[in-house]
Amino acid sequence: MLTESSLLLWTVIILLVAYFGVVTWIGKKGSAHSKSMNGFATARGKVSPWLVGASFAASYSSANLFIGVPGLAYQHGTSVLWYTLGCFGVSWVGLLIFAKTFWRYGKKFGRVSTVPEWLGRRYNSRTLQVIVSLLILFNVYYIVGQNVGLATIFETVIGIPYFWGIIIGVAITILYIGLGGAFAQMITDGIQGLFMALASILIFISFFWTIGGGINVFGELTNQLNAVDPNLTTFVGVDGPYNSVLAIMAVQFLLFSFILMPHLLNKILSIETEEELAPFTLSSGIVLFVISTLMVLGGLAARVLFPTLNSADSAIPMYVIESFPSIIAAIMIVGIISAILSSTDSLYLGVTTSIGNDFYKVLAPVFKKNISQAKLDLQSVKVAKGSLILVGLLSLYISLDRPDSLSILIQFSFSAIISGILAPITLGYFWKKATNYGAIAAVITGAALYVIFTQFNVIANIYLAMFFASLASFIVMGVIGLLTATEEHEELVLKKIS
Amino acid sequence: MIYTYLILVVVFWIIGLTIWNKFYKNN
């Protein structure tokens, strides 16, 4: 006779194997497609825009949203809801504002497959392309956060020690990516987004029996949180990162610009025609809404039900296995694991594509003068695929030192990237005097200041640090642009913005 | 705060759909 926990374990294992089987099958169908650099990176034009939208939302939502942010809610209470509100509302509005112009520039440049390449074309600067591809290496910390998320799930659900959880996490991630390629990712991420939406709705429905109170279930949840600690139900946090109105505003600024993350913008570049942007943006909004706004409430419920967890990040895995029958819990756990994988694969793809496409492909001709274009393209794909293992091992090494909060680590990594690229992308949209010198200075200023602010504790709140670093980056780019712009630079801006 | 949150989510839906209608639908 199976016990409850071994039933859960075996269901999780069987479902994971089945899921990997489906990915392999789809990957085989798409393998011919990922031989060229462009096919490897974006799977352009082969996937329905509705599914690309779901895949955008699935890549957006990582261990940060499913494990980390509910963990913050478990610790700090309802003030964390400002974060997930921004994840849906502000980010979606950001996508709607940025998508069309970014896509049009991509079209104007011909086949552009990555953000560093987009910036390199916009400013006609290979130096900028190489610098931004190096900045994207900060995503290794983002990947570390995903590893920690997987290890936390294995630890909570199956009881595997953290060290082995990390090793297993990295191994299945590399396996998962090796099975697919961009084509398989786009499809499995899309399916996974829908799968995750279902899990989020189940969490929402479960409050009716775990918290109770009928139609006034959230009033009941608020009362019970209040009984645990009155500080958990305030609009502005008493402690934690959301402890001032200014910090909450800075969070919205961060989430507005979050969609400029290279692994997300790459999705826009895979849309074939301008008409297809409509279903893509609508589908992104719908799926993003469901999977980003509901899960965090599970972290609040966990605080009421299990007030003494060792690690706040284990709030959601704990809530799931305690609130649902084993089979349903197993499906949801695999859903969360696949949700983490769907972000991690996009991140790995973004990092390795940048190493191949924006670093190797740009620098190799400098050292090997007479290499043919076809050979260079083939070598770049090889370098991209080879760097996958290196990035995986590096992330494994860093993961072994467990971070206090998964969310804060992940948010550090993407804030560093955004602080660097926000000014060059947004000013590049419409400002005639945006120049390559200004853009290079802005990337270095934004990223360096963010790291200095946070590492030397100049500005303790990570959101405010990001806001001020970005502001400095805009100012630097503005001043240098005004000083260096010539007619040649002004020709590069998109003429018709209707 | 939770109810405020849910109301604000709906408000953002309205803002997002308004932008979508204006710039993305039917073109």
Side-chain angles (χ1 to χ4, degrees), chain A residues 78 81-82 84-85 88-90 92-93 96 99-100 216 218-219 221-222 235 275 278 281-282 286 289 293 296, chain B:
Chain A
T78 51
L81 294 175
W82 290 111
T84 52
L85 177 69
F88 159 61
V90 182
W92 189 41
V93 169
L96 289 166
K100 189 166 268 193
N216 186 29
F218 294 116
L221 178 57
T222 304
F235 277 72
E275 288 72 37
T281 46
L282 189 59
I286 295 169
F289 154 67
T293 56
V296 64
Chain B
M1 170 65 200
I2 301 178
Y3 284 117
T4 311
Y5 169 67
L6 295 173
I7 291 166
L8 285 171
V9 166
V10 174
V11 169
F12 271 109
W13 257 120
I14 296 166
I15 296 171
L17 280 176
T18 310
I19 298 175
W20 187 82
N21 256 315
K22 191 164 164 42
F23 292 106
Y24 287 91
K25 198 181 166 190
N26 307 328
N27 64 11

Side-chain angles (χ1 to χ4, degrees), chain A residues 58 309 348:
Chain A
L309 288 178
Y348 270 105

Side-chain angles (χ1 to χ4, degrees), chain A residues 343-426:
Chain A
S343 300
T344 318
D345 65 9
S346 300
L347 286 164
Y348 270 105
L349 192 70
V351 172
T352 57
T353 303
S354 275
I355 292 172
N357 190 52
D358 304 315
F359 191 76
Y360 182 79
K361 202 172 170 178
V362 172
L363 288 181
V366 176
F367 298 105
K368 300 180 197 168
K369 292 292 181 208
N370 43 15
I371 188 168
S372 77
Q373 200 54 43
K375 197 175 170 192
L376 183 62
D377 195 61
L378 210 61
Q379 280 187 358
S380 304
V381 177
K382 273 189 183 156
V383 168
K385 288 183 171 170
S387 62
L388 179 67
I389 303 285
L390 280 177
V391 171
L393 289 174
L394 179 62
S395 79
L396 190 154
Y397 175 72
I398 301 172
S399 306
L400 294 177
D401 184 11
R402 188 172 198 165
D404 293 334
S405 162
L406 189 164
S407 261
I408 301 299
L409 176 75
I410 291 176
Q411 291 170 26
F412 163 77
S413 70
F414 63 63
S415 298
I417 295 176
I418 293 171
S419 299
I421 62 176
L422 183 60
I425 291 182
T426 45

Side-chain angles (χ1 to χ4, degrees), chain A residues 57-81:
Chain A
S59 296
Y60 180 107
S61 315
S62 69
N64 181 36
L65 263 178
F66 297 129
I67 305 287
V69 172
L72 287 176
Y74 180 92
Q75 272 179 302
H76 304 300
T78 51
S79 60
V80 176
L81 294 175

Side-chain angles (χ1 to χ4, degrees), chain A residues 158-377:
Chain A
I158 316 177
I160 295 176
Y162 177 79
F163 173 82
W164 289 104
I166 290 289
I167 302 231
I168 295 171
V170 172
I172 65 171
T173 306
I174 299 276
L175 177 68
Y176 176 78
I177 297 167
L179 297 173
F183 175 80
Q185 277 187 13
M186 202 63 103
I187 293 189
T188 51
D189 285 6
I191 294 169
Q192 185 278 313
L194 302 174
F195 194 36
M196 210 54 235
L198 180 69
S200 299
I201 291 169
L202 280 174
I203 291 257
F204 186 84
I205 294 172
S206 73
F207 298 144
F208 290 103
W209 70 77
T210 58
I211 300 295
I215 192 76
N216 186 29
V217 62
F218 294 116
E220 182 62 26
L221 178 57
T222 304
N223 291 339
Q224 294 189 20
L225 276 172
N226 231 339
V228 175
D229 180 351
N231 290 342
L232 290 172
T233 55
T234 52
F235 277 72
V236 177
V238 174
D239 57 358
Y242 311 96
N243 56 0
S244 69
V245 173
L246 199 58
I248 289 169
M249 305 272 276
V251 170
Q252 308 307 317
F253 174 74
L254 166 68
L255 291 169
F256 179 73
S257 41
F258 180 72
I259 62 122
L260 295 179
M261 279 296 280
H263 69 290
L264 298 176
L265 280 184
N266 288 352
K267 307 271 183 197
I268 297 177
L269 293 173
S270 72
I271 295 286
E272 188 72 66
T273 66
E274 192 156 335
E275 288 72 37
E276 288 184 335
L277 284 173
F280 162 73
T281 46
L282 189 59
S283 145
S284 300
I286 295 169
V287 181
L288 193 57
F289 154 67
V290 178
I291 61 187
S292 67
T293 56
L294 301 177
M295 202 60 116
V296 64
L297 297 167
L300 294 173
R303 181 63 188 259
V304 170
L305 300 168
F306 327 105
T308 55
L309 288 178
N310 281 333
S311 154
D313 284 341
S314 58
I316 281 287
M318 194 69 190
Y319 181 84
V320 168
I321 54 181
E322 294 293 334
S323 306
F324 292 95
S326 287
I327 301 280
I328 306 269
I331 293 173
M332 292 177 69
I333 292 291
V334 172
I336 294 174
I337 292 173
S338 70
I340 293 175
L341 290 174
S342 77
S343 300
T344 318
D345 65 9
S346 300
L347 286 164
Y348 270 105
L349 192 70
V351 172
T352 57
T353 303
S354 275
I355 292 172
N357 190 52
D358 304 315
F359 191 76
Y360 182 79
K361 202 172 170 178
V362 172
L363 288 181
V366 176
F367 298 105
K368 300 180 197 168
K369 292 292 181 208
N370 43 15
I371 188 168
S372 77
Q373 200 54 43
K375 197 175 170 192
L376 183 62
D377 195 61

